[in-house]
């Protein structure tokens, strides 16, 4: 089966795409196996990330106030932590490649997974905002991190991977990260 340059439609003169035939190919089985392995690894990474976030939240909202002599967490306590989170995210956005993740005011971004060079900025921005209480849910950072890790696993330097494969693997990584987070709403502290 020949595809056109954009990999979405058959090339002129080629047979039309047959989804049933595609599912029976060895390449499809390879893609399923790769997605399964990456799914397990990325789900574990998402669990570990959320466990780290939980520990950071406990340290900053419970342990630190006690260490500073407070009987509990003062009602004003989140304000300086939100400021610190903003400074950390600003530093990640300014000094690391990428934008620290998608722009929340644009809704859920579907522009694809971040590149390998952008992953540290996404990770640090997500850790700062989630760990210090600036956002309510981990879904968007996990989608970006999971998709980016999956794409990184298949797009190594010098390896030519078809865009449809990259898209499928990136989506599988994003879904695996979110699914891994669903099993871990309250990771062990």
């Amino acid at each position: 089966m020949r595809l056109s340059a954009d990999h979405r439609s058959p090339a002129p003169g080629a047979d039309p795409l047959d989804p049933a035939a595609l599912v029976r190919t060895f390449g499809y089985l390879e893609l399923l196996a790769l997605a399964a392995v990456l799914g397990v690894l990325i789900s574990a990474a998402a669990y570990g990330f959320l466990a780290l976030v939980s520990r950071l939240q406990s340290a900053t909202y419970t342990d630190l106030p006690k260490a500073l002599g407070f009987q509990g967490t003062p009602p004003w306590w989140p304000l300086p932590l939100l400021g610190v989170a903003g400074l950390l995210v600003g530093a990640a956005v300014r000094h690391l490649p990428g934008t620290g993740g998608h722009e929340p005011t644009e809704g859920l971004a579907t522009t694809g997974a971040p590149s390998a060079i952008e992953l540290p900025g996404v990770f640090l921005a997500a850790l700062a905002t989630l760990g210090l209480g600036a956002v309510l849910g981990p879904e968007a950072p996990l989608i970006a991190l999971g998709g980016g890790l999956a794409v990184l696993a298949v797009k190594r330097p010098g390896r030519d991977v078809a865009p449809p494969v990259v898209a499928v693997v990136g989506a599988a990584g994003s879904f695996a990260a979110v699914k891994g987070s669903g099993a871990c709403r309250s990771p062990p502290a």
Side-chain angles (χ1 to χ4, degrees):
M1 170 184 339
R2 292 185 337 232
L3 294 178
S4 66
D6 69 2
H7 300 292
R8 284 178 271 167
S9 59
D15 295 331
L17 292 176
D18 178 12
L22 179 64
V23 170
R24 291 188 296 264
T25 65
F26 183 72
Y28 184 76
L29 291 175
E30 285 181 316
L31 184 58
L32 282 178
L34 177 63
V37 169
L38 288 174
V40 169
L41 296 173
I42 290 171
S43 289
Y47 180 87
F49 176 75
L50 291 179
L52 178 61
V53 166
S54 179
R55 291 188 194 281
L56 183 58
Q57 288 173 344
S58 292
T60 55
Y61 280 90
T62 305
D63 300 341
L64 186 57
K66 285 181 184 175
L68 293 174
F70 294 103
Q71 297 297 326
T73 304
W76 52 265
W77 190 257
L79 295 176
L81 292 180
L82 293 174
V84 170
L87 291 172
L88 292 173
V89 171
V93 169
R94 176 141 171 97
H95 299 292
L96 295 174
T99 59
H102 81 281
E103 174 63 40
T105 60
E106 296 173 1
L108 184 61
T110 57
T111 57
S115 65
I117 199 163
E118 294 173 324
L119 286 176
V122 173
F123 177 82
L124 293 174
L127 187 62
T129 58
L130 291 168
L132 299 177
V135 294
L136 300 175
E139 291 81 9
L142 285 174
I143 289 170
L145 290 169
L149 288 173
V151 169
L152 176 63
V154 296
K155 284 187 74 174
R156 291 181 291 249
R159 187 169 184 201
D160 186 32
V161 182
V165 172
V166 172
V168 168
V169 169
S174 293
F175 287 120
V178 171
K179 184 64 177 166
S181 72
C184 172
R185 281 291 172 206
S186 298

Coordinates of all heavy atoms in Angstrom, one line a residue, residues 12-50:
P12 N -2.0 8.7 -5.8 CA -2.7 8.5 -7.1 C -2.4 7.2 -7.7 O -1.2 6.8 -7.8 CB -2.3 9.7 -7.9 CG -1.8 10.7 -7.0 CD -1.2 10.0 -5.8
G13 N -3.4 6.5 -8.1 CA -3.2 5.1 -8.7 C -3.0 4.0 -7.7 O -2.9 2.9 -8.1
A14 N -3.0 4.3 -6.4 CA -2.8 3.3 -5.4 C -4.2 2.7 -5.0 O -5.2 3.4 -5.2 CB -2.1 3.8 -4.2
D15 N -4.2 1.6 -4.4 CA -5.4 1.0 -3.8 C -5.9 1.9 -2.7 O -5.1 2.4 -1.9 CB -5.2 -0.4 -3.3 CG -4.8 -1.4 -4.4 OD1 -5.3 -1.1 -5.6 OD2 -4.1 -2.3 -4.2
P16 N -7.2 2.0 -2.5 CA -7.7 2.8 -1.3 C -7.3 2.1 0.0 O -7.1 0.9 0.0 CB -9.2 2.8 -1.5 CG -9.5 1.8 -2.6 CD -8.3 1.5 -3.3
L17 N -7.2 2.9 1.0 CA -6.8 2.3 2.3 C -7.9 1.3 2.8 O -9.1 1.7 2.8 CB -6.6 3.4 3.4 CG -5.4 4.3 3.1 CD1 -5.4 5.4 4.2 CD2 -4.1 3.5 3.2
D18 N -7.5 0.2 3.2 CA -8.4 -0.8 3.8 C -8.0 -1.0 5.3 O -7.0 -1.7 5.6 CB -8.3 -2.1 3.0 CG -9.2 -3.2 3.6 OD1 -10.1 -2.9 4.4 OD2 -9.0 -4.4 3.2
P19 N -8.8 -0.5 6.2 CA -8.5 -0.6 7.6 C -8.3 -2.1 8.1 O -7.5 -2.4 8.9 CB -9.6 0.1 8.3 CG -10.3 0.9 7.3 CD -10.0 0.3 6.0
A20 N -9.2 -3.0 7.5 CA -9.1 -4.4 8.0 C -7.8 -5.0 7.5 O -7.2 -5.8 8.3 CB -10.3 -5.1 7.4
A21 N -7.3 -4.6 6.3 CA -6.0 -5.1 5.9 C -4.9 -4.6 6.7 O -3.9 -5.3 7.0 CB -5.8 -4.8 4.4
L22 N -5.0 -3.3 7.1 CA -4.0 -2.7 7.9 C -3.8 -3.4 9.2 O -2.7 -3.6 9.7 CB -4.3 -1.2 8.1 CG -3.3 -0.4 8.9 CD1 -1.9 -0.3 8.3 CD2 -3.8 1.0 9.1
V23 N -4.9 -3.7 9.8 CA -4.9 -4.3 11.2 C -4.3 -5.7 11.1 O -3.7 -6.2 12.1 CB -6.4 -4.4 11.7 CG1 -6.4 -5.3 13.0 CG2 -6.9 -3.0 12.0
R24 N -4.3 -6.4 10.0 CA -3.7 -7.7 9.9 C -2.2 -7.7 9.5 O -1.6 -8.8 9.4 CB -4.5 -8.5 8.8 CG -5.9 -8.8 9.2 CD -6.6 -9.8 8.2 NE -6.7 -9.2 6.9 CZ -7.8 -8.6 6.5 NH1 -8.9 -8.5 7.3 NH2 -7.9 -8.1 5.3
T25 N -1.6 -6.5 9.4 CA -0.2 -6.5 9.1 C 0.7 -6.7 10.3 O 0.3 -6.4 11.4 CB 0.2 -5.1 8.4 OG1 0.0 -4.1 9.4 CG2 -0.7 -4.9 7.2
F26 N 1.9 -7.1 10.0 CA 2.9 -7.3 11.1 C 3.3 -6.0 11.7 O 3.5 -5.9 12.9 CB 4.2 -8.1 10.5 CG 5.2 -8.3 11.6 CD1 4.9 -9.3 12.6 CD2 6.4 -7.6 11.6 CE1 5.9 -9.5 13.6 CE2 7.3 -7.9 12.6 CZ 7.0 -8.8 13.6
G27 N 3.4 -4.9 10.9 CA 3.7 -3.6 11.3 C 2.7 -3.1 12.4 O 3.1 -2.4 13.4
Y28 N 1.4 -3.4 12.2 CA 0.4 -3.0 13.1 C 0.6 -3.8 14.5 O 0.5 -3.2 15.5 CB -1.0 -3.3 12.5 CG -2.1 -2.9 13.4 CD1 -2.5 -1.5 13.5 CD2 -2.8 -3.8 14.2 CE1 -3.5 -1.1 14.3 CE2 -3.9 -3.3 15.0 CZ -4.2 -2.0 15.0 OH -5.2 -1.6 15.9
L29 N 0.9 -5.0 14.4 CA 1.2 -5.8 15.6 C 2.4 -5.2 16.4 O 2.4 -5.1 17.6 CB 1.4 -7.3 15.3 CG 0.2 -8.0 14.9 CD1 0.5 -9.5 14.5 CD2 -0.9 -8.0 15.9
E30 N 3.4 -4.8 15.6 CA 4.6 -4.2 16.2 C 4.2 -2.9 16.9 O 4.7 -2.6 18.0 CB 5.7 -3.9 15.2 CG 6.4 -5.1 14.7 CD 7.5 -4.8 13.7 OE1 7.2 -3.9 12.8 OE2 8.6 -5.3 13.8
L31 N 3.4 -2.1 16.3 CA 3.0 -0.9 16.8 C 2.1 -1.1 18.1 O 2.3 -0.4 19.1 CB 2.2 -0.1 15.8 CG 1.7 1.3 16.2 CD1 2.9 2.2 16.6 CD2 0.9 2.0 15.1
L32 N 1.3 -2.1 18.1 CA 0.5 -2.4 19.3 C 1.4 -2.8 20.5 O 1.2 -2.4 21.6 CB -0.5 -3.5 19.0 CG -1.8 -3.1 18.3 CD1 -2.6 -4.4 18.0 CD2 -2.5 -2.1 19.0
A33 N 2.4 -3.7 20.1 CA 3.3 -4.1 21.2 C 4.1 -3.0 21.8 O 4.3 -2.8 23.0 CB 4.3 -5.2 20.6
L34 N 4.6 -2.1 20.9 CA 5.3 -0.9 21.3 C 4.5 0.0 22.2 O 4.9 0.4 23.3 CB 5.9 -0.1 20.1 CG 6.6 1.2 20.4 CD1 7.9 0.9 21.2 CD2 6.9 1.9 19.1
A35 N 3.2 0.2 21.8 CA 2.3 1.1 22.6 C 2.0 0.4 23.9 O 2.0 1.1 24.9 CB 1.0 1.3 21.8
A36 N 1.9 -0.9 24.0 CA 1.7 -1.6 25.3 C 2.9 -1.4 26.2 O 2.7 -1.1 27.4 CB 1.4 -3.0 25.0
V37 N 4.1 -1.6 25.7 CA 5.3 -1.5 26.5 C 5.4 -0.1 27.0 O 5.7 0.2 28.2 CB 6.5 -2.0 25.8 CG1 7.8 -1.6 26.5 CG2 6.4 -3.5 25.5
L38 N 5.3 0.9 26.1 CA 5.4 2.3 26.5 C 4.3 2.7 27.4 O 4.6 3.5 28.3 CB 5.4 3.2 25.2 CG 6.6 3.1 24.3 CD1 6.4 4.0 23.1 CD2 7.9 3.6 25.1
G39 N 3.1 2.1 27.2 CA 2.0 2.4 28.1 C 2.3 2.0 29.6 O 2.0 2.8 30.5
V40 N 2.9 0.9 29.8 CA 3.2 0.4 31.1 C 4.3 1.3 31.7 O 4.2 1.8 32.9 CB 3.6 -1.1 31.1 CG1 4.3 -1.5 32.4 CG2 2.5 -2.0 30.7
L41 N 5.3 1.6 30.9 CA 6.4 2.4 31.5 C 6.0 3.8 31.8 O 6.3 4.4 32.8 CB 7.6 2.4 30.5 CG 8.3 1.1 30.2 CD1 9.3 1.2 29.1 CD2 8.9 0.5 31.5
I42 N 5.2 4.4 30.9 CA 4.7 5.8 31.1 C 3.7 5.9 32.2 O 3.7 6.8 33.0 CB 4.2 6.4 29.8 CG1 5.4 6.6 28.8 CG2 3.5 7.7 30.0 CD1 5.1 7.0 27.4
S43 N 2.9 4.9 32.4 CA 1.9 4.8 33.5 C 2.7 4.8 34.8 O 2.4 5.5 35.8 CB 1.0 3.6 33.5 OG 0.1 3.7 32.4
A44 N 3.8 4.0 34.9 CA 4.7 4.0 36.1 C 5.3 5.3 36.3 O 5.4 5.8 37.4 CB 5.7 2.9 35.9
A45 N 5.8 6.0 35.2 CA 6.4 7.3 35.4 C 5.4 8.3 35.9 O 5.7 9.2 36.7 CB 7.0 7.7 34.0
A46 N 4.2 8.2 35.4 CA 3.1 9.2 35.8 C 2.8 8.9 37.3 O 2.7 9.9 38.1 CB 1.8 9.0 35.0
Y47 N 2.8 7.7 37.7 CA 2.6 7.4 39.2 C 3.7 8.0 40.0 O 3.5 8.6 41.0 CB 2.5 5.9 39.4 CG 2.3 5.5 40.8 CD1 1.0 5.5 41.3 CD2 3.4 5.3 41.7 CE1 0.8 5.1 42.7 CE2 3.2 5.0 43.0 CZ 1.9 4.9 43.5 OH 1.7 4.6 44.8
G48 N 5.0 7.8 39.5 CA 6.1 8.3 40.2 C 6.1 9.9 40.3 O 6.4 10.5 41.3
F49 N 5.7 10.5 39.2 CA 5.6 12.0 39.1 C 4.6 12.5 40.1 O 4.8 13.4 40.9 CB 5.2 12.4 37.7 CG 5.0 13.9 37.6 CD1 6.1 14.8 37.6 CD2 3.8 14.4 37.5 CE1 5.9 16.1 37.5 CE2 3.6 15.8 37.4 CZ 4.6 16.6 37.4
L50 N 3.4 11.8 40.2 CA 2.4 12.2 41.1 C 2.8 11.9 42.6 O 2.4 12.7 43.5 CB 1.0 11.6 40.8 CG 0.4 12.1 39.5 CD1 -0.9 11.4 39.2 CD2 0.2 13.6 39.5

